[in-house]
Amino acid sequence: MILAAEFDYSYLRGFIREHFGSNTEFAQFLGIGTTALYDRLANKTPFTQKEIDKVARTATGKELSPNEINMLFFTHKIRKSV
């Protein structure tokens, strides 16, 4: 059985605070509701390619680097072993 990857959106949460001020403003920028954004941040629903592309190209007024995009959207959660 293949488990879906879970992503750590800590860097994205900081990016949202820095560039948008609130999750509501970021959700509006993406064209989705706040509930849909919270589902994405909770790994219940994946971010779409269009949403990632919009952030990468227009969120800061300059295009983000591939490394920045990876940090925002593709940092895997690390499971802690007991």
Side-chain angles (χ1 to χ4, degrees):
M1 180 167 94
I2 297 174
L3 297 176
E6 283 202 8
F7 297 99
D8 178 353
Y9 292 120
S10 301
Y11 187 76
L12 178 58
R13 290 175 187 276
F15 180 88
I16 292 167
R17 278 191 301 277
E18 180 180 344
H19 294 283
F20 293 90
S22 71
N23 287 339
T24 301
E25 293 295 321
F26 185 63
Q28 288 175 351
F29 168 77
L30 291 179
I32 62 175
T34 53
T35 301
L37 176 60
Y38 286 117
D39 284 348
R40 285 159 175 73
L41 293 172
N43 284 286
K44 293 179 182 176
T45 306
F47 283 93
T48 67
Q49 288 180 322
K50 287 183 179 183
E51 292 164 350
I52 293 169
D53 185 62
K54 187 171 186 177
V55 171
R57 294 180 185 273
T58 63
T60 65
K62 67 175 182 74
E63 200 163 315
L64 300 178
S65 72
N67 187 48
E68 290 170 311
I69 296 164
N70 279 331
M71 288 176 64
L72 288 172
F73 293 101
F74 301 107
T75 301
H76 286 263
K77 278 190 177 181
I78 299 183
R79 296 195 174 192
K80 296 178 182 174
S81 57
V82 180

